[in-house]
């Protein structure tokens, strides 16, 4: 029998798969006033080497990084969403789980993981961070973002949907602790308000992490 964590993850992935077309359409463009395009350009310029978009969904961020000059692996565990990602000569699609990346150690210059780890409880989030550390080259960078708060919530993916996604909320101090456990140095952390995929305003905790060993 699956653990409660795996059952929640399976339900979340099923919700994304069942709503893939609508979700892809909602996330095709950045929200008005979003800082994400500037964040992507700044992160693309911060390092050399291959970039992993970990939990790439329908590919919006992966394509933005490719347009900014990066070679990108777009990885997602939801195949219906990954299939909807647009083709780009600098983007390679890979099916995979952020907790067990199908990539060689020290093969990447950076990892971008936006609004993905929020589906994981702390122990599972730590597993993902440890995988990011494994696949990054020494000096490599990871950008992560999650919703600020405490506890857990189960929410429909759309107003009329019966399919639930599971969310875990984190404070800055929670992520600092987990990042250090995963042997990352915290380069930068900040909190900002921005719309999520449901067009609700959220407070996001964002980090740049560096692998120094």
């Amino acid at each position: 029998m699956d653990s409660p964590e795996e059952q929640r993850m399976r339900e979340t992935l099923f919700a994304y798969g069942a709503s893939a077309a609508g979700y892809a359409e909602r996330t095709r463009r950045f929200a008005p006033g979003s800082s994400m395009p500037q964040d992507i350009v700044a992160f693309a310029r911060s390092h050399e080497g291959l970039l992993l978009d970990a939990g790439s969904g329908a590919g919006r961020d992966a394509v933005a990084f490719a347009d900014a000059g990066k070679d990108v692996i777009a990885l997602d565990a939801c195949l219906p969403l990954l299939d909807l990602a647009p083709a780009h000569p600098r983007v390679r699609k890979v099916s995979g789980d952020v907790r067990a990346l199908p990539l060689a150690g020290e093969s990447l210059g950076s990892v971008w993981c936006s609004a993905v780890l929020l589906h994981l409880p702390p122990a599972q989030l730590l597993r993902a961070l440890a995988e990011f550390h494994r696949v990054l080259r020494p000096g490599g960078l990871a950008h992560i973002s999650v919703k600020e708060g405490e506890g857990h919530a189960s929410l429909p993916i759309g107003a009329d949907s019966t399919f639930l996604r599971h969310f875990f909320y984190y404070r800055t101090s929670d992520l600092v602790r987990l990042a250090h456990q995963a042997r990352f140095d915290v380069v930068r952390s900040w909190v900002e308000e921005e719309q999520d995929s449901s067009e609700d305003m959220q407070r996001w905790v964002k980090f740049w992490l560096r692998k120094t060993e």
Side-chain angles (χ1 to χ4, degrees):
M1 182 180 295
D2 284 345
S3 67
E5 291 84 0
E6 289 304 318
Q7 184 175 346
R8 284 192 291 257
M9 178 54 65
R10 188 171 64 250
E11 289 174 353
T12 297
L13 289 173
F14 186 83
Y16 278 115
S19 307
Y23 183 84
E25 180 60 28
R26 288 197 304 276
T27 59
R28 190 161 53 92
R29 298 183 179 88
F30 295 103
S34 172
S35 65
M36 292 278 284
Q38 291 79 21
D39 289 347
I40 284 172
V41 170
F43 194 67
R45 291 174 176 171
S46 69
H47 65 279
E48 300 296 327
L50 184 63
L51 179 142
L52 171 66
D53 184 0
S56 59
R60 179 196 64 193
D61 296 359
V63 169
F65 274 111
D67 287 342
K70 302 298 292 184
D71 292 320
V72 181
I73 295 174
L75 177 140
D76 206 277
C78 179
L79 285 176
L81 266 183
L82 195 61
D83 286 343
L84 291 171
H88 192 291
R90 303 194 75 155
V91 176
R92 176 163 63 96
K93 299 181 189 181
V94 173
S95 172
D97 187 327
V98 295
R99 300 168 298 173
L101 295 171
L103 302 170
E106 299 189 359
S107 60
L108 302 174
S110 63
V111 175
W112 173 267
C113 189
S114 177
V116 175
L117 300 183
L118 47 69
H119 293 304
L120 301 177
Q124 301 293 314
L125 190 152
L126 180 59
R127 276 181 58 186
L129 290 180
E131 278 292 274
F132 297 166
H133 190 279
R134 180 183 67 81
V135 299
L136 282 170
R137 299 171 185 167
L141 287 174
H143 168 109
I144 64 172
S145 65
V146 296
K147 294 180 180 181
E148 185 184 49
E150 297 181 69
H152 162 258
S154 300
L155 303 170
I157 195 167
D160 301 320
S161 178
T162 59
F163 302 115
L164 295 178
R165 294 179 294 171
H166 299 280
F167 294 91
F168 295 84
Y169 302 97
Y170 291 92
R171 299 163 299 183
T172 298
S173 58
D174 299 326
L175 287 178
V176 169
R177 175 177 53 82
L178 290 166
H180 288 162
Q181 285 183 252
R183 297 183 294 154
F184 278 107
D185 286 345
V186 176
V187 176
R188 181 188 174 204
S189 67
W190 71 105
V191 177
E192 64 181 293
E193 290 193 354
E194 191 161 341
Q195 288 182 5
D196 64 9
S197 61
S198 300
E199 299 184 350
D200 295 326
M201 291 301 296
Q202 300 285 341
R203 284 176 59 83
W204 296 88
V205 181
K206 300 186 177 185
F207 275 75
W208 280 23
L209 307 175
R210 187 183 303 277
K211 176 178 177 175
T212 55
E213 53 181 279

